[in-house]
Amino acid sequence: MKTENQRGWLFVLPVLILVAFNALIPLMTVVNYSVQETFGNNQFFWAGLRWFEEILRSERFHAALGRQLLFTFTILIIEVPLGVAIALAMPRRGFWVPVCLVLMALPMLIPWNVVGSMWNIFTLPQIGLLGYFLNDVLGINYDMTQQPVSAWITVIVMDVWHWTSLVVLLAYAGLVSIPEAYYQAAKIDGASNWSVFRYIQLPKMKRVLTIAILLRFMDSFNIYTEPFTLTGGGPGNSTTLLSIDLVKIALGQFDLGPAAAMSLIYFAITLAVSWLFYTLMTRDDQ
Amino acid sequence: MTLELRNVTKTVGADTHIHPTSLAFEKGGFNILLGATNAGKSTLIKLMAGLEKPTTGEVWADGQNVTGTSPQKRGIALVHQFFINYPHMTVFENIASPLRVQGLGRSEIETRVREAADVLQLGPMLDRRPQELSGGQQQRCALARAIVKQSKAIFLDEPLANLDYKLREELREQLPDILGERGTVIVYATSEPTEALLLGGHTALVHEGRITQFGRTPEIYHLPGDLTSARVFSDPPINLAPVTKRGEEMWMDETINWPVFGEAAALADGPYTVAIRPHHVTPTEPNDVSIAIRGPVQITELSGSESVAHFRIGGQTWVSLAPGVHPYRVGDYHEFHMIPGQCFYFGADGTLAAKGRAHG
Amino acid sequence: MAEIGLKNLRHSYLPSPAGPDDFALKEINLSWDDGGAYALLGPSGCGKTTLLNIISGLLTPSEGHILFDGQDVTALPPDKRNIAQVFQFPVIYDTMTVYDNLAFPLRNRGVAADRVDARVSEIAAMLELDDSLTTRAANLTPDAKQKISMGRGLVRDDVNVIMFDEPLTVIDPELKWKLRSKLKELHQKIAVTMIYVTHDQTEALTFADQVVVMQDGEIVQIGSPVELFERPQHTFVGHFIGSPGMNILPCEVTGDGAWFHGCHVPLEGPVKGTGQRTEIGVRPEFVRLADGGIPGLVRKAADIGRHTVVEVMVGDTPVGAIVDGPAPERGAEVHLTFDPHQTRLYTDGWIATERAAP
């Protein structure tokens, strides 16, 4: 096959270069930092796996990881069923379809740091609309700058507000692809609404939901901007998620070695959980 | 123009889609690929059109090896079973698109598009968009796009499959005039034996990635080379039964026997498979020499002009197809007449051993 | 099982239909006996699927009533009508096994497990699905999936009617024969009223005892396959049924008979009506090539195995003929005769001859 056309590789080249710049080179730098110690002046000393051991034994890391898992788990528990429920409630044809879709997409169009600032101002106890309303009108003692529980609720509500739309849109795409005949057949077979959901809608949505859950897992596990602008990780360390802690170590304390090791552990966890999840979800597809 | 596959194979992973195949198509008349869904018809078309590369072997066009040539450079047209048109363009623009690619002048495009539209009766619809047309008109639009560029070869992959029965009949009727004497090689894939017979030309029977027989359409219908070919080229399905030859006679189910003549008489004694088409098993005595067979009727169907009966005989279900209306009653034993002169006998390896004859 | 009546049915997809053209169904009156096999036949857009969906309750008609055994069910939803429907594309519940798919309509209605088991085994055996009962339905071939769809319709023994909406669309020709015979066999076995919707005349005629031919939202003719074939009431039926369809030949009618291209054509009997447009209708099956008769030139001849389909040009009018024996050459001069008993006159599309007394 001498005439085999090799030009195709040329078209892939820009992507390869981009991926190299984007991922491979920074990753190699991080690997480099993670096994060395530096005191500045570009002086490096071999540290081996010391940083990895320290991080893995550090209580601070355990605490941040725990908070991170709690956060991710909570938002998934809320956003996925809520997103599916909203998608099921949306009209499937007619005038309201585009209106609903635009309304749903709006939160996702707002820059992340704006979302954080917005919710910060919105929920401040004295000047924020919500803060004022909760404290002074309803008489609920709410202050996310002082109370860890308030701060947690605020961070989660903010994420649900920001990202449930993604689940909605993906689930909706899955729903509208189901041919009308399925619903008609189910009606005639005497299926209940629950059966229709369980045996038609859910199986047909499974693929897009897998993608939705995967995306939400990875995004929420790496979340930084919004909680940082909202609470700065406080009060105390109560909302210091993994990425916020990582930035504190790397930029706040300038411990590049431990920060690099932590990044790699962080990356490994994200990758492992995503892989495990994807394998489990697609296990019985042929 | 000629189009040739030379010892072509196609494998994907561990699956063999096309076993070694050599085939030569000429211009003039239809070259039909007849076979069931997934038999390999579409793969053969893709190989000839250059949309897929053969794993081994070569594709030749007009005495040139075009195996590695891209489809764009081969000057071919393809009409698919689904009505593929550009949805955002008018019918005129759709038909003109291959000419614009060729960079023809405006007036030339105008003339040729109108010409093609006339042939396909699309004249009044040139300003509409494809989705405003009926299925039949959409497929005409796709056909117009295929003929307008005067390509060297036109491939039609079950182009009528998604049309209503009557529209299918009308368009099939017109296809020879539409494609006509254009000096192109016409390759037409279908899963319907009757369609192949109506279009005539040459037919290649495709079964599980192999060409089982190739020749002039009516000829291979009347003389199948092997059992598979007989089955592929029969609608309704051909009746089959195991028989044993003993001396001058064929025995079926140890109860029915008939004398054989000519080449069938010369066969060695032993087991064979008899095949006979449903219209050669009739409910009334035909003019030809026939053998009476009896079996319980299981299903009856009436299609207006023809009556169909499914009945059991020799452990098989056979079908009889006859013009007119016949009063069958389900469950009753009914006498049918099979014409030994129309039987085919196949050997253990499936190849045609002999064709029946009525007399010595 | 039930007798089905349709009374003054009209349906429009528009909220406020103005003229008759806004109606997808125009005034349908029908009555179907219990246990019969019926077909709705017509081209795309003739309203046959609309009518089917109205009978099943998926669609509520703009006007009129649907009666099951004399009882008005117009307002009832599909699951209350006790019907079954098989769709054009197989509908299967992917995550379930074949067994669970078949059992689904029964379980939804709270049928006892041993009864479910008995029915499912029986239907699976009839459809030759008994070997794959434990397989997941998603992994089957299209025809097996369509069999499951059919099976879900057949599994309930209390249904009033089973409806089929072009069920063989996705099936290969060879399997089409098999599934169609299977369906016919099942009807002969279980004798439930069945309604079969299709655009394919062969499917309609072979399946049904009585066929309803529709065009533009109206019923053109109701009749047995033989009636539709032999005495179409309208040229549309003549053209639509039969392959090739009936020859519809413009003619002149004078006091002493019908004239086609200057030749006198004997008709089946006396002419009873008059109209603007007069046409002779004769099926290709009843056109013979003869030594004398209407002269013409052979335009094409196709040997389709059991006979030859010949197209003869008489002037500029093509006439189809089905011929046994050797086919004439292209361009040959031939003469045509029509079987007088099967030659009818149509005025403005509708039949205008009476059958002569035997």
Side-chain angles (χ1 to χ4, degrees):
Chain A
M1 289 267 139
K2 283 211 188 67
T3 50
E4 188 83 58
N5 194 341
Q6 301 290 344
R7 218 174 357 173
W9 289 106
L10 224 63
F11 295 107
V12 188
L13 199 63
V15 178
L16 287 178
I17 295 173
L18 200 72
V19 170
F21 264 102
N22 247 341
L24 291 177
I25 295 173
L27 192 66
M28 288 323 293
T29 319
V30 173
V31 172
N32 196 22
Y33 276 126
S34 72
V35 290
Q36 299 187 80
E37 185 164 9
T38 173
F39 302 104
N41 296 339
N42 254 349
Q43 279 183 303
F44 290 92
F45 303 92
W46 179 249
L49 293 178
R50 204 176 85 214
W51 302 135
F52 288 92
E53 277 171 41
E54 267 182 25
I55 295 287
L56 286 174
R57 288 200 183 124
S58 116
E59 284 191 12
R60 175 176 170 176
F61 176 74
H62 293 167
L65 180 63
R67 285 190 291 270
Q68 182 65 64
L69 288 173
L70 180 65
F71 173 75
T72 296
F73 185 70
T74 313
I75 64 111
L76 281 179
I77 284 285
I78 298 172
E79 287 175 14
V80 174
L82 182 65
V84 171
I86 295 176
L88 285 171
M90 272 167 62
R92 275 184 218 130
R93 60 169 78 93
F95 171 77
W96 291 104
V97 171
V99 178
C100 286
L101 288 177
V102 169
L103 279 178
M104 277 297 133
L106 272 181
M108 292 195 293
L109 298 175
I110 302 171
W112 297 10
N113 57 346
V114 177
V115 170
S117 315
M118 214 169 79
W119 278 81
N120 186 312
I121 297 166
F122 184 50
T123 54
L124 280 175
Q126 278 81 42
I127 56 169
L129 191 61
L130 185 66
Y132 171 81
F133 183 75
L134 287 175
N135 282 297
D136 298 339
V137 179
L138 293 185
I140 298 168
N141 183 12
Y142 165 88
D143 183 354
M144 60 103 187
T145 61
Q146 299 296 324
Q147 305 152 338
V149 175
S150 297
W152 263 88
I153 292 174
T154 314
V155 171
I156 286 166
V157 169
M158 176 183 67
D159 195 83
V160 169
W161 176 83
H162 194 183
W163 287 114
T164 304
S165 313
L166 181 76
V167 183
V168 174
L169 293 181
L170 285 168
Y172 186 74
L175 276 179
V176 292
S177 70
I178 303 174
E180 194 57 30
Y182 277 80
Y183 294 110
Q184 297 181 336
K187 264 192 216 168
I188 287 164
D189 286 341
S192 60
N193 287 342
W194 166 250
S195 294
V196 170
F197 175 70
R198 169 74 185 75
Y199 296 114
I200 297 174
Q201 293 171 322
L202 200 58
K204 296 280 173 197
M205 276 194 292
K206 203 179 120 187
R207 275 163 201 281
V208 283
L209 278 186
T210 308
I211 302 291
I213 295 174
L214 209 59
L215 284 175
R216 281 316 296 133
F217 166 75
M218 291 191 294
D219 270 356
S220 68
F221 207 73
N222 298 333
I223 193 167
Y224 174 76
T225 317
E226 301 130 287
F228 184 76
T229 40
L230 182 71
T231 64
N237 273 337
S238 61
T239 57
T240 301
L241 302 174
L242 269 182
S243 58
I244 299 179
D245 201 30
L246 181 66
V247 173
K248 276 186 187 164
I249 298 171
L251 298 178
Q253 300 155 227
F254 225 72
D255 285 336
L256 290 183
M262 186 170 157
S263 306
L264 287 177
I265 293 167
Y266 194 177
F267 176 61
I269 294 171
T270 315
L271 203 64
V273 175
S274 301
W275 175 81
L276 187 72
F277 175 75
Y278 189 77
T279 322
L280 286 179
M281 285 293 279
T282 53
R283 178 182 40 173
D284 38 43
D285 288 346
Q286 294 285 316
Chain B
M1 175 72 194
T2 57
L3 192 62
E4 240 181 295
L5 293 179
R6 293 190 184 172
N7 230 358
V8 159
T9 65
K10 179 75 184 176
T11 53
V12 176
D15 295 334
T16 303
H17 290 198
I18 299 295
H19 296 279
T21 294
S22 295
L23 201 56
F25 287 154
E26 311 240 332
K27 70 171 183 189
F30 282 75
N31 295 287
I32 294 158
L33 298 170
L34 174 65
T37 309
N38 291 332
K41 306 184 299 283
S42 295
T43 311
L44 284 172
I45 282 191
K46 284 180 198 155
L47 289 170
M48 284 186 263
L51 294 167
E52 274 184 20
K53 257 181 211 166
T55 309
T56 60
E58 292 167 351
V59 184
W60 286 63
D62 268 341
Q64 270 186 317
N65 186 349
V66 295
T67 315
T69 315
S70 70
Q72 292 95 323
K73 290 187 187 144
R74 290 195 192 181
I76 51 156
L78 177 70
V79 178
H80 202 260
Q81 130 174 40
F82 304 100
F83 323 132
I84 297 174
N85 295 299
Y86 300 108
H88 60 287
M89 292 184 190
T90 61
V91 170
F92 183 95
E93 284 304 317
N94 262 289
I95 303 175
S97 59
L99 302 178
R100 299 224 192 276
V101 174
Q102 287 177 5
L104 295 187
R106 178 176 293 214
S107 61
E108 160 122 46
I109 288 180
E110 179 88 23
T111 342
R112 279 172 62 178
V113 169
R114 299 229 172 257
E115 222 175 77
D118 278 349
V119 173
L120 285 145
Q121 300 154 23
L122 287 169
M125 287 145 223
L126 284 174
D127 295 329
R128 299 200 203 153
R129 281 172 207 277
Q131 62 266 37
E132 297 166 43
L133 305 180
S134 72
Q137 290 163 341
Q138 288 185 35
Q139 193 64 316
R140 281 172 199 277
C141 180
L143 276 166
R145 233 177 42 231
I147 61 168
V148 76
K149 67 174 174 183
Q150 294 164 3
S151 38
K152 290 181 191 153
I154 295 184
F155 299 95
L156 303 115
D157 194 355
E158 302 197 41
L160 308 180
N162 282 322
L163 293 176
D164 263 21
Y165 191 87
K166 219 51 198 185
L167 281 173
R168 203 180 294 173
E169 201 177 277
E170 278 165 23
L171 197 50
R172 177 168 52 220
E173 180 86 350
Q174 294 161 359
L175 272 178
D177 300 328
I178 293 167
L179 300 169
E181 302 298 316
R182 286 174 184 272
T184 52
V185 175
I186 304 165
V187 182
Y188 188 105
T190 179
S191 58
E192 308 216 8
T194 313
E195 186 155 291
L197 285 165
L198 283 167
L199 291 171
H202 290 76
T203 293
L205 303 178
V206 191
H207 182 74
E208 292 178 353
R210 284 191 175 86
I211 304 287
T212 60
Q213 198 174 359
F214 176 59
R216 293 184 53 78
T217 306
E219 281 169 23
I220 66 167
Y221 175 86
H222 290 296
L223 196 62
D226 57 27
L227 192 52
T228 310
S229 302
R231 295 175 68 167
V232 171
F233 208 167
S234 188
D235 183 35
I238 198 163
N239 297 313
L240 302 171
V243 288
T244 312
K245 180 171 182 284
R246 276 186 222 128
E248 302 283 280
E249 287 173 333
M250 280 290 174
W251 284 80
M252 185 163 109
D253 197 29
E254 293 305 320
T255 52
I256 305 157
N257 66 309
W258 59 90
V260 286
F261 307 99
E263 55 178 338
L267 292 176
D269 281 8
Y272 294 91
T273 300
V274 66
I276 183 161
R277 298 194 191 275
H279 64 278
H280 291 135
V281 180
T282 58
T284 51
E285 211 163 327
N287 296 330
D288 304 272
V289 176
S290 67
I291 303 291
I293 51 176
R294 287 168 63 79
V297 174
Q298 287 186 309
I299 306 166
T300 68
E301 294 172 322
L302 193 60
S303 71
S305 59
E306 290 173 312
S307 301
V308 176
H310 301 236
F311 64 99
R312 295 291 289 176
I313 184 83
Q316 319 286 322
T317 299
W318 274 26
V319 179
S320 152
L321 173 78
V325 179
H326 298 275
Y328 300 115
R329 290 235 316 264
V330 172
D332 281 4
Y333 270 72
H334 198 282
E335 192 170 76
F336 294 91
H337 304 268
M338 71 172 249
I339 305 168
Q342 298 291 351
C343 287
F344 301 107
Y345 302 101
F346 297 97
D349 60 347
T351 56
L352 183 69
K355 186 180 187 309
R357 270 175 64 179
H359 312 282
Chain C
M1 280 178 250
E3 183 186 298
I4 296 170
L6 306 177
K7 281 229 171 88
N8 306 326
L9 271 192
R10 266 150 68 89
H11 187 72
S12 173
Y13 288 101
L14 304 174
S16 48
D21 284 350
D22 288 348
F23 281 90
L25 282 183
K26 301 162 193 159
E27 196 72 25
I28 302 282
N29 285 293
L30 259 182
S31 110
W32 278 332
D33 295 338
D34 186 12
Y38 299 96
L40 291 172
L41 174 67
S44 297
C46 73
K48 55 191 192 299
T49 299
T50 305
L51 184 56
L52 191 76
N53 286 342
I54 285 176
I55 298 171
S56 63
L58 295 168
L59 207 61
T60 311
S62 313
E63 290 169 33
H65 300 277
I66 304 122
L67 308 174
F68 282 6
D69 278 336
Q71 218 179 344
D72 193 333
V73 295
T74 319
L76 291 183
D79 54 317
K80 295 273 156 45
R81 292 193 187 186
N82 243 347
I83 45 135
Q85 188 167 352
V86 178
F87 297 87
Q88 188 171 8
F89 296 98
V91 172
I92 49 142
Y93 303 105
D94 293 346
T95 51
M96 297 187 198
T97 60
V98 173
Y99 184 97
D100 290 338
N101 260 281
L102 293 176
F104 193 62
L106 297 177
R107 287 178 178 158
N108 285 331
R109 289 175 172 79
V111 175
D114 53 336
R115 179 92 191 107
V116 170
D117 201 59
R119 283 299 292 172
V120 169
S121 313
E122 194 185 332
I123 294 298
M126 277 190 207
L127 289 167
E128 292 156 26
L129 283 170
D130 29 0
D131 293 338
S132 52
L133 279 175
T134 53
T135 321
R136 246 184 59 178
N139 305 335
L140 297 173
T141 56
D143 59 292
K145 285 183 181 174
Q146 194 61 309
K147 276 194 196 170
I148 296 175
S149 301
M150 289 183 185
R152 278 209 320 275
L154 297 164
V155 77
R156 289 162 53 204
D157 49 9
D158 60 342
V159 288
N160 286 317
V161 53
I162 306 178
M163 294 185 282
F164 301 89
D165 188 1
E166 308 199 4
L168 302 181
T169 307
V170 292
I171 312 294
D172 254 17
E174 198 191 321
L175 290 168
K176 257 184 201 170
W177 269 95
K178 281 196 184 150
L179 273 184
R180 205 170 60 206
S181 345
K182 194 96 240 166
L183 210 57
K184 185 88 187 167
E185 190 186 323
L186 288 171
H187 181 257
Q188 285 165 359
K189 257 187 206 158
I190 62 175
V192 175
T193 315
M194 291 189 182
I195 304 175
Y196 191 109
V197 163
T198 180
H199 62 82
D200 186 322
Q201 45 137 338
T202 316
E203 282 177 29
L205 297 187
T206 50
F207 173 76
D209 307 327
Q210 204 176 53
V211 179
V212 178
V213 185
M214 295 183 66
Q215 186 193 19
D216 295 335
E218 282 177 300
I219 294 176
V220 189
Q221 187 176 355
I222 303 175
S224 70
V226 177
E227 284 165 1
L228 292 178
F229 182 79
E230 292 197 340
R231 271 181 73 82
Q233 296 298 303
H234 192 272
T235 49
F236 173 77
V237 179
H239 165 76
F240 200 78
I241 285 175
S243 184
M246 186 180 238
N247 293 302
I248 309 291
L249 313 168
C251 69
E252 276 172 44
V253 180
T254 59
D256 51 351
W259 297 82
F260 174 56
H261 279 270
C263 300
H264 181 255
V265 178
L267 301 171
E268 59 166 346
V271 178
K272 59 180 180 194
T274 52
Q276 302 254 308
R277 185 162 45 95
T278 49
E279 286 152 323
I280 290 168
V282 59
R283 294 211 171 267
E285 284 84 352
F286 304 119
V287 177
R288 297 268 167 278
L289 300 186
D291 297 330
I294 306 158
L297 292 174
V298 175
R299 202 171 90 87
K300 54 186 161 193
D303 174 1
I304 67 160
R306 54 183 188 268
H307 46 236
T308 303
V309 181
V310 185
E311 192 182 298
V312 178
M313 296 303 289
V314 177
D316 53 1
T317 314
V319 182
I322 287 181
V323 178
D324 289 319
E329 290 282 308
R330 207 175 144 171
E333 280 183 43
V334 292
H335 289 85
L336 303 175
T337 56
F338 303 157
D339 178 351
H341 300 293
Q342 302 289 353
T343 308
R344 333 216 178 274
L345 185 78
Y346 292 86
T347 57
D348 295 332
W350 295 94
I351 194 159
T353 39
E354 274 165 23
R355 211 192 293 252

